[in-house]
Amino acid sequence: MAHAVHTQVAMHEAYGGVVPELASRDHIRRLIPLTERVLTEAKCARAEIDAIAYTAGPGLAGALLAGASFAESFAMALGIPALPVHHLEGHLLSPLLSADAPAFPFIALLVSGGHTQLMRVSRVGNYKLLGESLDDAAGEAFDKTAKLLGLGYPGGPALAKLAERGVAGRFKLPRPMLASGDLSFSFSGLKTAVLTQVRQRDLSDADKADLAAEFQEAVSDVLVAKSLTACRQHQLANLVVAGGVGANRRLRQRLNEAMAKQGGRVFYPEMELCTDNGAMIAFCAAQRLLQNGITPNDRRGAFAVRPRWPLNELS
Ligand code: KG4
Ligand code: ZN
């Protein structure tokens, strides 16, 4: 019906990354105005709301607590249920918000700032982890490499933009765990390989663009190969890509080509729903409500957030 995002990018930019205390204080400032704006845009009266969904984890404890306290209080005041949602489940189901949505079951590649995971999704609430990153997440590798190349925060989009002007292959970077035979990932070595290049000599702007292109190609090679393997192993033709790195154009192009060759298809969320947003959290809770029905809130105001929360603990 309506959705809005307040981005804290400008606030964190000066520090080159997220400052947790500033993030949670800003959450407190923004939550009520943003909620009022969305309700107005949706022409939705408070009495029409069935439930309030919020992100309960994983993430920064302070930011999670700000959202959870607000959502639980709002729901209690309205006498409706509050539904804690897993952040990654929100990402996973976000492609289902598109008009052209994939059918279950499918393989999901989740590539965000904190996670790189391949999952088999049988239905809402049934997620089997097939493999994940043993160290840095893909988005984290993008961000750290961007920093090494002197690019601003957030690094992922900046690095992708620089890569458009560069040529991959002039610099040689490793394709970590490409031949590992499993669906695990590792991206921290890639960042170290870039660091080695940066230390070896003074890089010109053209060098940096070529290095960025090679980095993007290396990450894509690994993500494409393992996603294809997961689809083949599970005999599934549909691949869903979710999370911030899923906004990367080159990765999309490579995945589309490779999956088409294999007789499959790739589904993405709308571009504006690739990075963090509230719509995917509301949608996820709505799917669960449709599946399980509305159960009364019997927690008497007690709630908790989970900064660490493995997705396969969901049911
Ligand atoms: O899912 P997300 O918005 O936040 C969470 O981590 O939950 O993902 C953010 C990550 C950041 O690491 C950011 O650099 C990366 O996604 N990212 C990109 C692009 N856009 C965002 N990485 C590569 N290419 C992009 N175009
Ligand atoms: Zn996210």
Side-chain angles (χ1 to χ4, degrees):
M1 296 167 77
H3 90 109
V5 172
H6 171 77
T7 171
Q8 299 183 332
V9 162
M11 184 180 75
H12 295 307
E13 211 167 15
Y15 304 92
V18 174
V19 184
E21 182 61 22
L22 292 183
S24 41
R25 285 188 213 175
D26 199 46
H27 274 61
I28 293 169
R29 265 196 301 271
R30 307 289 177 179
L31 270 166
I32 293 175
L34 205 58
T35 304
E36 283 175 338
R37 195 177 118 195
V38 172
L39 287 176
T40 306
E41 269 172 36
K43 298 191 175 60
C44 178
R46 285 168 200 207
E48 293 176 272
I49 306 174
D50 294 313
I52 312 273
Y54 65 92
T55 305
L60 293 171
L64 292 171
L65 274 171
S69 316
F70 171 69
E72 291 278 352
S73 314
F74 193 19
M76 188 182 262
L78 294 174
I80 56 176
L83 305 171
V85 170
H86 194 293
H87 177 71
L88 297 181
E89 186 179 22
H91 275 304
L92 264 191
L93 301 182
S94 60
L96 301 181
L97 273 163
S98 305
D100 176 28
F104 296 110
F106 52 76
I107 296 293
L109 172 67
L110 199 75
V111 272
S112 69
H115 295 84
T116 304
Q117 301 184 326
L118 273 164
M119 241 157 318
R120 185 185 199 280
V121 180
S122 307
R123 57 172 171 78
V124 172
N126 191 320
Y127 314 111
K128 185 168 183 269
L129 182 65
L130 306 176
E132 64 183 330
S133 178
L134 305 176
D135 42 55
D136 292 358
E140 192 178 357
F142 262 94
D143 293 336
K144 287 178 175 173
T145 301
K147 210 168 202 172
L148 289 176
L149 295 178
L151 304 174
Y153 164 88
L159 191 89
K161 195 158 171 253
L162 180 64
E164 277 175 21
R165 288 194 277 120
V167 180
R170 190 161 76 80
F171 290 94
K172 295 266 182 290
L173 293 175
R175 269 58 177 165
M177 298 191 76
L178 188 61
S180 64
D182 59 14
L183 297 173
S184 303
F185 301 91
S186 166
F187 292 109
S188 73
L190 209 43
K191 163 203 67 195
T192 313
V194 172
L195 179 64
T196 309
Q197 298 286 350
V198 169
R199 281 196 178 144
Q200 264 170 12
R201 57 178 144 141
D202 252 346
L203 296 174
S204 68
D205 285 349
D207 289 340
K208 284 182 183 173
D210 289 347
L211 200 46
E214 171 71 1
F215 172 84
Q216 185 171 260
E217 219 54 34
V219 173
S220 300
D221 276 346
V222 180
L223 292 176
V224 169
K226 304 233 170 184
S227 301
L228 260 66
T229 303
C231 288
R232 269 200 307 270
Q233 283 177 354
H234 290 260
Q235 298 180 343
L236 293 176
N238 288 347
L239 175 70
V240 157
V241 181
V245 183
N248 187 277
R249 285 222 204 101
R250 180 66 183 149
L251 175 64
R252 285 185 174 213
Q253 185 192 1
R254 298 275 319 272
L255 281 171
N256 293 345
E257 284 169 9
M259 281 298 288
K261 247 188 214 162
Q262 195 168 290
R265 238 195 97 182
V266 195
F267 295 82
Y268 306 91
E270 303 291 335
M271 216 42 157
E272 61 174 340
L273 300 178
C274 266
T275 45
D276 291 351
N277 65 87
M280 68 183 191
I281 302 301
F283 178 76
C284 181
Q287 294 306 302
R288 285 182 167 267
L289 279 180
L290 289 173
Q291 196 169 284
N292 308 327
I294 292 190
T295 45
N297 225 353
D298 55 3
R299 281 176 287 136
R300 295 178 201 284
F303 63 91
V305 295
R306 292 190 62 178
R308 290 175 186 279
W309 188 4
L311 188 59
N312 47 0
E313 284 181 12
L314 283 180
S315 58

